[in-house]
Amino acid sequence: MALDRQAFCIPTRTKLILALLAILCCASAPAIAVFRAAVVKVDITPTDSQYLLGYGPRKSEGVYDKIYHRIVLMDDGVTQFAIVSSDLALVAPSEYDKVAAKLQKELKINPVNFWWTFTHTHSAPEVGPPGLPAVFLGDRYKHDFDKVYTEMVEQKLIEGIAEARKKLAPAKLGTGWGFASANINRRARLADGKITLGMNPDGPVDRRIGLIRLEKEDGSLLTLIANYAMHGTVFAAITEISADGPGIVAEYVEEKLGVPMLYINGAAGNIAPLYSQQEAPSGKRVLPQFKVMLGDKIIKANKDILAMTSDVKLRTSVMTVETPRKAGLGWTDDMLNYTRTTKEGINLVKLPVRFLKINEDIAIWSAPLELFCEVSNEIRDRSPFPVTMYFGYGNGWLGYMLTENEYAQGGYESTVTPYSPKAAQDLTDAVMNYLQGEMKKP
């Protein structure tokens, strides 16, 4: 029996339709996202005398060591996330908002994807308006901030992120933990029960180093992000510009490993460096000790990171925690976005808290606070994520936040907080609810 060849022939028109469908299917298939990263280090050391932020007002008379923006840009194909660590004490949230708006306009980066953190050195220039510190320490701010230097810091940050964008290349990410005894609780107890700035070896402390390692595609090191809680107060009120303890540690690790390192401070509200507020001669002797006490511990923790992945997904978000403002406390006009008054006449602080979720096992949260370490320690211990880190001094400064127990003890920090004694519990509850709820969604 002869076969009908026409029965097995596909008409030309049908072939064309099938070919078109195949092309459309290929075009609509999602591209495989490649995780990319880049790092940039930008010098922001001034060439003229500047008012230094930290301690009393004073102008710089020289440079002990240079200060920098260190910038990491990560891109998972959907989200492009920039984190900046600057060798500055702090800036007002209004200054962060100004830079974030410029960045969004010029580089189209959503502010939720831009985190600006500060190492909290007390020997770096002021940048932008004082913000909330002017409410507590009005006598300190009788001078105007240097608009020329501020503009330079802003522009170099934006240019640094633009440069990092050009350098994006395939990368891998891993995390790890280290330990260093380079810090100490600074709320000293006196015999009469009073609290003063000093040393309290029995007080709460956080000595864990949180580490994020970024590798190039070939496995060589691209950069480290090191998270450790420690005030930038090795030096006392010197008149030389310095990145202080965090800066000397970062420079040392960079010298040893050959790549930039971002020092991200943690919940350092009640934590000082082991040697703190040293006058210039003694400070210059003890500062190099932090290379070993902390720098070598970061290098060791880096060697211990074995699990790296190029399959990286980034998810950013922000939450506002509202908590009562300290009774009778004033506010500044440039900070009106960070407060509101209820119908009942209660003044609230509007505290922005940022979150970064990396894959399903890493949660990083950040707030514009000098947070007491007990809060971040508790959240890390209770978090449903295997890796949880707190990045302090994030996107501005909205004061100290003490635990209720420490608030009752008094001391310096209780005089420069805009919050009520219940604020730390409000923050803890809000962050834990977010980590256990919204952040756990796939």
Side-chain angles (χ1 to χ4, degrees):
M1 181 178 175
L3 293 174
D4 185 355
R5 294 185 58 176
Q6 292 296 321
F8 290 89
C9 257
I10 300 176
T12 301
R13 183 178 178 184
T14 303
K15 288 181 179 179
L16 290 173
I17 291 172
L18 291 173
L20 180 60
L21 286 173
I23 292 171
L24 290 174
C25 286
C26 290
S28 62
I32 298 175
V34 175
F35 175 64
R36 299 180 300 157
V39 62
V40 170
K41 180 179 176 182
V42 184
D43 190 342
I44 56 170
T45 310
T47 57
D48 57 355
S49 180
Q50 294 287 322
Y51 274 103
L52 304 181
L53 182 56
Y55 310 121
R58 66 205 189 280
K59 295 204 74 173
S60 63
E61 298 175 347
V63 175
Y64 179 72
D65 54 274
K66 291 185 176 182
I67 57 175
Y68 299 90
H69 290 315
R70 292 174 172 90
I71 301 164
V72 164
L73 191 65
M74 294 185 283
D75 188 324
D76 67 356
V78 176
T79 298
Q80 195 166 95
F81 175 78
I83 182 162
V84 181
S85 172
S86 298
D87 291 321
L88 301 170
L90 50 87
V91 302
S94 58
E95 173 65 19
Y96 163 80
D97 291 339
K98 177 186 174 185
V99 175
K102 284 185 176 181
L103 192 62
Q104 186 171 32
K105 180 180 180 180
E106 296 184 23
L107 297 182
K108 311 303 180 188
I109 293 179
N110 191 311
V112 75
N113 296 329
F114 164 52
W115 290 16
W116 189 9
T117 71
F118 310 94
T119 62
H120 201 52
T121 169
H122 281 38
S123 299
E126 300 172 349
V127 171
L132 197 57
V135 176
F136 302 112
L137 307 167
D139 290 342
R140 189 199 183 287
Y141 297 97
K142 298 296 185 182
H143 57 273
D144 292 330
F145 69 92
D146 189 321
K147 294 179 176 59
V148 174
Y149 179 70
T150 294
E151 185 177 350
M152 183 270 277
V153 168
E154 295 169 354
Q155 193 56 38
K156 285 200 171 186
L157 188 153
I158 293 170
E159 291 172 355
I161 293 177
E163 181 184 348
R165 179 177 277 178
K166 294 177 182 177
K167 291 183 174 181
L168 282 170
K172 293 181 281 187
L173 183 146
T175 61
W177 295 101
F179 181 89
S181 299
N183 58 11
I184 190 169
N185 187 289
R186 70 177 196 166
R187 284 173 54 83
R189 266 67 172 169
L190 302 182
D192 60 4
K194 292 182 179 179
I195 302 294
T196 186
L197 294 179
M199 297 172 63
N200 180 5
D202 298 321
V205 71
D206 182 7
R207 292 188 168 130
R208 295 188 72 176
I209 303 166
L211 204 61
I212 298 174
R213 174 185 168 94
L214 290 169
E215 285 182 0
K216 299 177 183 178
E217 193 173 25
D218 62 5
S220 61
L221 182 62
L222 175 65
T223 188
L224 294 178
I225 300 174
N227 178 212
Y228 189 76
M230 185 178 75
H231 254 75
T233 54
V234 175
F235 281 130
I238 64 171
T239 55
E240 291 179 286
I241 289 170
S242 174
D244 205 90
I248 200 75
V249 169
E251 286 285 339
Y252 174 74
V253 174
E254 291 170 351
E255 177 187 334
K256 291 293 184 180
L257 300 183
V259 299
M261 186 198 90
L262 275 65
Y263 186 110
I264 309 290
N265 221 319
N270 54 347
I271 298 181
L274 191 59
Y275 302 109
S276 188
Q277 299 191 45
Q278 303 285 311
E279 298 298 332
S282 57
K284 291 176 181 179
R285 288 196 299 271
V286 302
L287 189 63
Q289 296 181 40
F290 287 86
K291 296 179 180 181
V292 175
M293 288 191 294
L294 181 53
D296 279 345
K297 303 302 188 298
I298 291 171
I299 293 170
K300 179 182 182 303
N302 171 56
K303 291 179 180 178
D304 293 338
I305 297 175
L306 302 177
M308 302 292 297
T309 180
S310 58
D311 185 11
V312 176
K313 299 293 183 292
L314 307 172
R315 175 183 165 195
T316 56
S317 54
V318 62
M319 169 183 67
T320 298
V321 178
E322 293 192 330
T323 187
R325 213 161 87 195
K326 182 190 286 186
L329 183 72
W331 210 253
T332 60
D333 291 342
D334 66 307
M335 301 281 288
L336 294 180
N337 289 337
Y338 295 90
T339 188
R340 76 176 181 92
T341 303
T342 67
K343 293 178 181 179
E344 295 75 24
I346 300 173
N347 293 322
L348 301 176
V349 179
K350 296 168 64 177
L351 177 63
V353 183
R354 298 291 183 93
F355 295 89
L356 171 64
K357 179 180 176 181
I358 304 177
N359 295 339
E360 298 301 318
D361 55 351
I362 302 168
I364 302 171
W365 66 287
S366 181
L369 291 171
E370 292 207 51
L371 186 65
F372 273 33
C373 68
E374 299 94 310
V375 178
S376 64
N377 286 351
E378 178 183 350
I379 290 173
R380 183 176 61 207
D381 292 344
R382 293 174 52 198
S383 172
F385 291 85
V387 177
T388 301
M389 300 181 194
Y390 169 71
F391 287 4
Y393 306 96
N395 304 334
W397 187 84
L398 280 172
Y400 282 87
M401 184 176 283
L402 300 71
T403 61
E404 186 172 4
N405 179 63
E406 291 295 309
Y407 203 117
Q409 301 295 320
Y412 166 73
E413 298 89 351
S414 66
T415 69
V416 287
T417 179
Y419 306 103
S420 73
K422 299 285 188 182
Q425 192 59 56
D426 289 344
L427 177 65
T428 301
D429 292 344
V431 172
M432 284 307 308
N433 287 337
Y434 198 85
L435 290 175
Q436 293 169 343
E438 186 65 27
M439 286 278 282
K440 289 300 291 181
K441 293 180 181 179

